[in-house]
């Protein structure tokens, strides 16, 4: 005759449920960044196409997803503004945006390297690699260079 072990099953269930909650908590705290896939995309006040348009963004614009609701994502931009965007209008490809008034692109990863170009606030780049506090980036026009990471969002 086999004895039923309800205490063992309850403990096993509790352990599995606790592990699942830890996994969800770890996933929820990891920042998810996306980029807009085309020009002229509206950021809205709520998760519906009929909600007020708060602002409009361009292709490549980076956003941080804070939550999702159906086919909509609540997002934050580099200035801390929040709104909603349809998930079909973003891609998982990471981009970065200049958050300072200007940022110098340099030949190498350091302030002593020659300046290739200067980028103004709001210019978007694709990050290529990092070296210490420096990020090598590429602009849509093909220009590449290194920017001090604290001048970019997200970094």
């Amino acid at each position: 005759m086999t004895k039923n072990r309800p205490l063992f099953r309850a403990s096993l269930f509790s352990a599995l449920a606790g592990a699942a909650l830890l996994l969800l908590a770890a996933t929820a705290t990891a920042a998810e960044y996306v980029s807009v896939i085309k020009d002229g995309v509206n950021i809205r006040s709520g998760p519906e196409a009929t909600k007020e348009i708060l602002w409009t963004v361009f292709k490549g614009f980076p956003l941080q997803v804070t939550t999702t609701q159906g086919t909509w994502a609540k997002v934050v931009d580099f200035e801390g503004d929040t709104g909603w965007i349809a998930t079909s209008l973003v891609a998982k490809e990471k981009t970065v945006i200049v958050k300072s008034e200007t940022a110098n692109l340099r030949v190498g990863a350091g302030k002593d390297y020659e300046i290739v170009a200067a980028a103004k606030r709001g210019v978007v780049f694709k990050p290529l690699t990092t070296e210490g506090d420096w990020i090598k980036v590429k602009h849509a026009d093909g220009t590449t260079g290194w920017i001090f990471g604290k001048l970019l969002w997200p970094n």
Side-chain angles (χ1 to χ4, degrees):
M1 179 161 107
T2 307
K3 285 189 173 184
N4 202 357
R5 299 176 59 167
L7 183 58
F8 174 74
R9 287 185 186 161
S11 297
L12 179 61
F13 177 77
S14 295
L16 290 174
L21 286 174
L22 284 174
L23 181 61
L24 286 173
T27 303
T29 59
E32 179 186 2
Y33 294 94
V34 296
S35 61
V36 177
I37 63 170
K38 65 180 188 172
D39 289 333
V41 171
N42 296 323
I43 305 297
R44 297 187 176 271
S45 62
E48 294 175 14
T50 57
K51 294 293 185 178
E52 176 188 4
I53 297 170
L54 300 175
W55 77 95
T56 301
V57 292
F58 53 88
K59 183 177 181 177
F61 195 88
L63 296 165
Q64 180 183 9
V65 175
T66 59
T67 189
T68 57
Q69 184 176 324
T71 59
W72 290 84
K74 186 172 186 182
V75 294
V76 177
D77 75 357
F78 76 108
E79 294 177 317
D81 295 327
T82 62
W84 291 84
I85 188 170
T87 56
S88 62
L89 298 172
V90 295
K92 299 269 187 200
E93 182 179 6
K94 185 175 178 181
T95 56
V96 293
I97 192 167
V98 176
K99 67 180 182 180
S100 61
E101 289 306 310
T102 60
N104 292 324
L105 275 80
R106 298 181 179 271
V107 175
K111 67 178 182 171
D112 296 330
Y113 285 94
E114 178 186 349
I115 296 171
V116 176
K120 296 201 178 290
R121 180 179 178 86
V123 174
V124 171
F125 294 94
K126 179 179 180 181
L128 301 175
T129 189
T130 60
E131 188 175 307
D133 292 333
W134 292 80
I135 301 173
K136 187 173 186 180
V137 296
K138 183 176 183 178
H139 188 266
D141 70 3
T143 304
T144 61
W146 292 85
I147 297 180
F148 188 59
K150 292 184 180 179
L151 304 178
L152 300 170
W153 183 90
N155 59 15

